[in-house]
Amino acid sequence: MTESRQVVIIGSGPAGLTAAIYASRAQLSPLVIEGEPSSTSDQPGGQLMLTTEVENYPGFVDGIMGPELMQNFRAQAARFGAEYLTDKVSRVDLSSRPFGVWVGDPDTAEPSYAAEALIISTGAKSLMLNLPNEERLLGYGVSTCATCDGFFFREREIAVVGGGDSALEEALFLTRFADKVTLIHRRGELRASKVMQQRAFANPKISFLWNTSVIDVLGDTTVSGIKVRDNVSEQESEIALSGLFVAIGHQPNTDLFKGQLELRENGYIRTFDGTRTNVDGVFACGDVQDDRWRQAITAAGSGCAAAIDVERWLEEQAAVH
Ligand code: NAP
């Protein structure tokens, strides 16, 4: 049986849950399909569930743990009537309205939900190195966000992995806090833009480890070092340090929408005039359409914008019909 809904929100990070707060307060009774707890990339609450302390979210003078912040967002939207489904969307049909949304078996003929409007807030994931102890120490010395976690590494020695603009931007930012930043790149040449390279080479706190791959992270409860392999000599060695920043790129969670929504060349959803996508009635917010800021507060801001855009769009539809 297909259930009709006015607004379905796919994804429950800061963007989706802020959209849920605004949409529920606008009496749109949103359903948030929040993801699967067993997944590390599509988990309810999004990327903040993988962090420890969040110190840059305005309003929390002493910081707040990422999971607690997301629990608060969730409870706040529930207070105004947002409903949650703890599951993964397996398929969408955006070819006609109402839009079809499937959870469970994607081959079922009838969708699980028929949505008048859709808010996509499926986020992005940081590409990881897939090292044996990387996930275990994520939030305990392994990080994917210098802006979020750099402050915890004051006067420490840390490393950044990657050779693109992100890695150099992270390394440069981290020199504000750390005593020493080692940039580890698997090849002998950076991919980053020349201007970023010049800045990094000129920074006395940054040193480079070329042709080197990180093969594991060491530490019981927090990071104490890394194991690396020289890709030329194939020799392995250990380096003592207290933080490892993985900056090898991000991937937006857009697989569900390929071929149905316009994506930019780098795979992020293209938005127009606020949070609209190229499909009338489908809106996108948060990291799934943002490769620029990627912050919880900017995601939350765009979630608010999406809910307001949806509310106005639904009013326009009602006026037309
Ligand atoms: P990117 O340009 O794709 O670079 C990823 C880097 O990570 C590459 O150096 C790559 O090595 C390395 N890498 C990938 N997988 C790896 C693995 N498994 N193990 C070790 N190293 C691995 O990604 P990005 O730096 O996130 O940048 C994405 C886009 O955003 C780019 O277009 C970039 O210019 C842009 N950006 C711009 C700015 C800015 O202008 N301020 C800041 C950030 C990003 P190889 O080089 O060997 O492939």
Side-chain angles (χ1 to χ4, degrees), residues 4 6 23 54 58 122 170 180-181 199 225-226 240 242 261 270-271:
S4 293
Q6 212 164 11
V54 179
T122 45
E170 300 273 271
K180 183 180 174 200
V181 178
R199 262 182 233 159
I226 53 173
S242 45
L261 269 189
R270 194 185 292 285
T271 50

Side-chain angles (χ1 to χ4, degrees), residues 129 161-167 169 185-187 191 247-249:
L129 294 162
V161 190
D165 281 324
S166 292
E169 197 170 68
H185 185 35
R186 62 184 177 184
R187 296 186 295 130
R191 176 182 295 276
I248 60 171

Side-chain angles (χ1 to χ4, degrees), residues 127-129 161-169 184-187 189-193 196 199 212-214 247-250 266 291 294:
L127 295 175
M128 300 303 290
L129 294 162
V161 190
D165 281 324
S166 292
L168 295 201
E169 197 170 68
I184 303 176
H185 185 35
R186 62 184 177 184
R187 296 186 295 130
E189 192 188 342
L190 295 171
R191 176 182 295 276
S193 56
M196 293 294 278
R199 262 182 233 159
T212 301
S213 292
V214 179
I248 60 171
H250 289 83
N266 59 7
D291 62 342
R294 298 191 183 106

Side-chain angles (χ1 to χ4, degrees), residues 9-297:
I9 299 171
I10 308 177
S12 61
L17 293 179
T18 304
I21 292 170
Y22 276 76
S24 53
R25 285 177 54 79
Q27 312 278 316
L28 297 175
S29 314
L31 172 72
V32 183
I33 305 181
E34 61 178 349
E36 258 186 340
S38 58
S39 161
T40 51
S41 56
D42 304 310
Q43 72 280 25
Q47 294 177 83
L48 280 190
M49 301 303 280
L50 304 175
T51 60
T52 47
E53 204 165 357
V54 179
E55 290 192 321
N56 57 6
Y57 200 88
F60 296 91
V61 179
D62 300 317
I64 182 166
M65 299 304 274
E68 188 187 347
L69 180 62
M70 295 327 297
Q71 190 48 45
N72 289 349
F73 272 52
R74 192 181 188 281
Q76 192 173 349
R79 189 181 141 211
F80 299 109
E83 289 175 60
Y84 297 94
L85 179 73
T86 309
D87 211 330
K88 247 176 105 165
V89 173
S90 54
R91 178 181 155 200
V92 293
D93 180 357
L94 310 182
S95 61
S96 60
R97 292 205 304 263
F99 304 113
V101 178
W102 280 254
V103 291
D105 184 357
D107 296 325
T108 317
E110 295 300 314
S112 317
Y113 298 96
E116 292 299 322
L118 210 54
I119 296 180
I120 298 171
S121 48
T122 45
K125 47 184 165 273
S126 296
L127 295 175
M128 300 303 290
L129 294 162
N130 298 321
L131 309 175
N133 288 292
E134 185 182 34
E135 195 176 322
R136 180 176 65 80
L137 291 166
L138 191 62
Y140 299 92
V142 176
S143 172
T144 56
C145 177
T147 314
C148 321
D149 299 332
F151 195 70
F152 301 119
F153 294 92
R154 288 184 302 278
E155 296 166 15
R156 304 283 181 83
E157 294 197 7
I158 58 179
V160 176
V161 190
D165 281 324
S166 292
L168 295 201
E169 197 170 68
E170 300 273 271
L172 284 161
F173 181 77
L174 288 165
T175 59
R176 297 184 195 184
F177 312 102
D179 277 346
K180 183 180 174 200
V181 178
T182 304
L183 190 115
I184 303 176
H185 185 35
R186 62 184 177 184
R187 296 186 295 130
E189 192 188 342
L190 295 171
R191 176 182 295 276
S193 56
K194 286 285 175 282
V195 59
M196 293 294 278
Q197 294 196 27
Q198 281 164 3
R199 262 182 233 159
F201 290 142
N203 192 307
K205 278 191 176 178
I206 302 180
S207 60
F208 291 82
L209 202 52
W210 301 106
N211 299 305
T212 301
S213 292
V214 179
I215 53 175
D216 205 1
V217 198
L218 309 170
D220 290 333
T221 51
T222 57
V223 170
S224 59
I226 53 173
K227 203 169 175 182
V228 296
R229 186 185 56 232
D230 183 311
N231 292 331
V232 180
S233 68
E234 299 208 337
Q235 275 206 329
E236 294 183 4
S237 57
E238 291 184 4
I239 303 171
L241 43 73
S242 45
L244 179 71
F245 285 78
V246 180
I248 60 171
H250 289 83
Q251 194 182 350
N253 298 318
T254 49
D255 284 354
L256 275 175
F257 314 108
K258 281 181 183 152
Q260 302 198 59
L261 269 189
E262 188 177 333
L263 306 179
R264 286 152 49 202
E265 281 117 52
N266 59 7
Y268 287 76
I269 294 178
R270 194 185 292 285
T271 50
F272 307 84
D273 183 26
T275 63
R276 288 173 184 249
T277 68
N278 69 311
V279 175
D280 206 24
V282 179
F283 300 77
C285 53
D287 284 14
V288 73
Q289 50 84 57
D290 169 25
D291 62 342
R292 186 168 175 188
W293 297 296
R294 298 191 183 106
Q295 299 301 301
I297 186 67

